[in-house]
Amino acid sequence: METIQNFINGEVTDSNSLRFAPIFNPATGEQTRRVVLSTVEDTKKAIEAAQAAFPSWAKTPPLRRARVMFKFKALLEANQDALARMISNEHGKVYSDAVGELTRGLEVVEFACGIPHLQKGESSANVGSTVDSHSIMQPLGVCAGITPFNFPAMVPMWMFPIALATGNTFILKPSEKDPSLGLMMAKLLKEAGLPDGVFNVVNGDKEAVDVLLTDPRVQAVSFVGSTPIAEYIYTTASAHGKRCQALGGAKNHCILMPDADLDMASNAIVGAGFGAAGERCMALSVVVAVGDEIADRLVDSLAKSIQKMRVGPGIVDGRENDMGPVISAAHRDKILGYIDAGVEQGATLVVDGRNCKVADHENGYFVGPTLFDDVKPDMTIYQDEIFGPVLSIVRAPDYQTALTLINQHQYGNGSAIFTRDGDTARQFSEDVLAGMVGVNVPIPVPMAFHSFGGWKRSIFGPLNVHGNDGVRFYTRMKTVTTRWPASVRLEDHSSAFTMPTMD
Ligand code: NAD
């Protein structure tokens, strides 16, 4: 059976670890490969390679670093089919959704191609007489990225294109559930001309991660994953003096106002709730319907749409399925447990996805799309991130109650409103406690040239990923104040003991 190893100093490198994790095809339940769980020694070897490659990569002109990104972009496009098939095989999402994930990652690569402009810094002439000031945005050194299973290509590409383009070296620790994309992208970066050691992949679990969090040679850690692990990563990395951004879990709400275009909203809600089997940090999991009339119509419309959804493997000949399996048997069972809890706690189960059978894929990890109505804020299915195809409808008497409900939730990643009223939409955008807001847009994922990040327990650390925040995260500012000797020649050379101010 094939073993997915590490990529260190420009080549696939065998680990000496005796620990491995199985990789499954979630659509069939079969083990397809295994991945090495790296040792402390393996991880230190990657840090050494990244540390050694840093000085010359940091001095490489940004234009030349950008040219590597241009080539990498072209290679991603040329290899799209193989990459998307691997995503679908290891993660389970349908092929077109895997292509969508690659496109969103590629857009960050395109953003990083503009690094000569983005990393220019700032400049002021005459901050004092004959004194100029300019800032330099310098790379940090060795940076690490620890990524989740649900976007094995896109989330790493939220991080490393900007880290590399700004002159850092990088170590990626992919999810052990679908690790192959890490190695595939490493090989493409090498083909694009990236020098050895600048990008490395260490596969593994907590053992490898803890080295990245504590080794003094690692300067910055980007993490995306569940909230408890994000808190651990942020606390540990910060305690070891590292810059850290740690993005966590979510429970994304939308408000459906009585004046909304119901057909548009209902179609958008089905796609946002059940796309990628609900395994998106921006998946829509709660609709707060304002007023019983629109709530009744929505439930009716959603139930009809759900009945038409095709659930099955991600790669098929002919017409594609709408929704694939979830990542693992354990995760399927956890989701089924949440549905049981919803029923026990009194929510109305409108569509039950518990006994989902897919022909010829009896051992796949399928959960059918599930719809609950009359969900109350104290129920577990409302409180927790389920990360599966389970959509909850909460009924609220008015807009203010709906907004308060959203703002009291522990998570604040994305949030949306469906309305025809500009004033309500504007007020919502201003008052909702969430990092990304959609107006008649159900999954408001910002484009690569904006930044992505939530509020509350959906993020730890001050800077979001990609966009200008990404450039800030991977650089540190140095401000140079310059006075040229001509002025020195003309001036009094005696010492000054007062705090310097610019005249
Ligand atoms: P996870 O937290 O289990 O794993 C994420 C990464 O952390 C993996 O690489 C894993 O190997 C590592 N890890 C796990 N346990 C660890 C430990 N004890 N110590 C050190 N490292 C550890 O998350 P997941 O199940 O892979 O992904 C799903 C979660 O990610 C969901 O909660 C989802 O909302 C979240 N997510 C958030 C965003 C966002 O932008 N906010 C994006 C995608 C996914």
Side-chain angles (χ1 to χ4, degrees):
M1 181 167 293
E2 188 191 353
T3 303
I4 305 299
Q5 292 282 357
N6 295 328
F7 190 91
I8 299 175
N9 210 15
E11 54 192 40
V12 175
T13 307
D14 286 355
S15 158
N16 59 2
S17 174
L18 299 174
R19 294 193 307 126
F20 300 91
I23 305 169
F24 295 97
N25 179 339
T28 61
E30 280 162 5
Q31 185 179 346
T32 50
R33 306 174 189 80
R34 63 178 191 170
V35 61
V36 71
L37 299 176
S38 295
T39 58
V40 171
E41 199 181 281
D42 295 323
T43 315
K44 288 198 181 282
K45 209 189 273 179
I47 297 173
E48 267 159 37
Q51 177 87 339
F54 175 66
S56 106
W57 182 243
K59 294 267 185 241
T60 302
L63 194 62
R64 297 229 308 265
R65 297 198 300 251
R67 284 182 187 142
V68 174
M69 288 298 134
F70 276 109
K71 284 194 188 141
F72 179 56
K73 166 185 148 57
L75 288 167
L76 284 173
E77 284 163 344
N79 291 277
Q80 176 182 284
D81 182 58
L83 295 165
R85 279 178 185 276
M86 184 59 87
I87 293 173
S88 187
N89 264 308
E90 289 191 352
H91 174 279
K93 64 180 72 175
V94 299
Y95 179 84
S96 60
D97 194 29
V99 171
E101 154 168 11
L102 284 168
T103 305
R104 294 309 294 251
L106 186 126
E107 286 162 5
V108 185
V109 179
E110 288 173 333
F111 175 72
C113 288
I115 212 67
H117 176 73
L118 295 165
Q119 209 176 349
K120 276 191 309 202
E122 296 166 343
S123 165
S124 302
N126 294 319
V127 293
S129 15
T130 74
V131 180
D132 303 327
S133 206
H134 72 279
S135 57
I136 314 173
M137 298 168 79
Q138 293 190 317
L140 307 173
V142 179
C143 300
I146 300 149
T147 53
F149 79 82
N150 66 325
F151 285 108
M154 181 187 80
V155 170
M157 283 196 274
W158 280 355
M159 304 169 180
F160 73 74
I162 300 176
L164 299 181
T166 47
N168 299 281
T169 55
F170 200 85
I171 300 167
L172 174 67
K173 206 303 283 171
S175 167
E176 60 275 40
K177 294 183 182 126
D178 46 11
S180 292
L181 265 288
L183 245 61
M184 291 172 91
M185 292 190 290
K187 289 175 187 165
L188 295 181
L189 281 166
K190 184 174 167 101
E191 201 181 330
L194 193 73
D196 292 348
V198 175
F199 182 78
N200 308 276
V201 180
V202 172
N203 281 302
D205 56 5
K206 184 171 167 50
E207 183 169 338
V209 170
D210 281 348
V211 178
L212 298 173
L213 298 180
T214 54
D215 190 294
R217 292 168 295 181
V218 177
Q219 303 298 320
V221 175
S222 296
F223 171 87
V224 175
S226 60
T227 288
I229 308 298
E231 278 178 311
Y232 168 72
I233 300 279
Y234 185 72
T235 321
T236 313
S238 304
H240 286 81
K242 300 182 199 319
R243 194 175 277 202
C244 185
Q245 54 183 184
L247 281 70
K251 189 83 178 175
N252 304 304
H253 291 59
C254 80
I255 295 182
L256 181 71
M257 292 299 291
D259 69 338
D261 177 332
L262 188 70
D263 285 344
M264 174 204 188
S266 175
N267 287 334
I269 289 166
V270 170
F274 302 117
E279 290 176 326
R280 289 181 183 142
C281 64
M282 289 293 273
L284 184 65
S285 19
V286 182
V287 181
V288 189
V290 174
D292 281 333
E293 202 221 317
I294 193 124
D296 289 342
R297 286 167 56 214
L298 176 73
V299 170
D300 190 45
S301 165
L302 290 177
K304 285 187 184 129
S305 301
I306 291 171
Q307 303 298 355
K308 290 187 213 140
M309 281 179 63
R310 292 179 307 275
V311 180
I315 299 174
V316 285
D317 290 331
R319 197 169 166 209
E320 198 181 41
N321 289 308
D322 297 312
M323 201 179 94
V326 299
I327 187 71
S328 64
H331 192 51
R332 176 198 55 204
D333 296 344
K334 189 172 164 195
I335 297 167
L336 297 179
Y338 273 116
I339 302 175
D340 292 342
V343 174
E344 277 157 28
Q345 290 171 17
T348 308
L349 185 57
V350 182
V351 182
D352 185 353
R354 284 178 292 188
N355 284 311
C356 180
K357 300 273 177 273
V358 174
D360 302 326
H361 288 77
E362 286 74 16
N363 296 323
Y365 313 136
F366 292 98
V367 179
T370 298
L371 179 65
F372 276 112
D373 192 6
D374 304 309
V375 173
K376 301 285 184 284
D378 59 350
M379 293 178 180
T380 326
I381 53 167
Y382 178 78
Q383 293 289 337
D384 290 3
E385 179 185 43
I386 300 174
F387 221 55
V390 180
L391 181 63
S392 294
I393 312 287
V394 179
R395 293 173 179 237
D398 52 46
Y399 166 78
Q400 196 53 47
T401 310
L403 178 72
T404 305
L405 189 69
I406 297 177
N407 286 351
Q408 283 173 347
H409 202 281
Q410 60 170 323
Y411 296 119
N413 221 33
S415 199
I417 190 162
F418 287 93
T419 179
R420 286 188 165 98
D421 183 55
D423 170 59
T424 307
R426 185 181 177 284
Q427 205 56 46
F428 175 76
S429 308
E430 200 154 304
D431 293 340
V432 71
L433 302 181
M436 296 167 280
V437 180
V439 174
N440 297 314
V441 171
I443 309 185
V445 178
M447 293 295 284
F449 35 93
H450 288 265
S451 298
F452 181 111
W455 283 17
K456 299 189 274 187
R457 296 184 77 236
S458 295
I459 197 168
F460 303 89
L463 290 170
N464 290 349
V465 290
H466 63 65
N468 288 338
D469 266 17
V471 178
R472 283 266 163 176
F473 183 78
Y474 288 116
T475 54
R476 56 186 159 186
M477 194 74 101
K478 183 181 276 174
T479 305
V480 183
T481 303
T482 313
R483 166 179 280 156
W484 290 102
S487 59
V488 176
R489 179 171 46 84
L490 300 174
E491 274 180 10
D492 170 9
H493 294 292
S494 54
S495 306
F497 295 99
T498 50
M499 180 72 185
T501 57
M502 296 298 174
D503 302 325

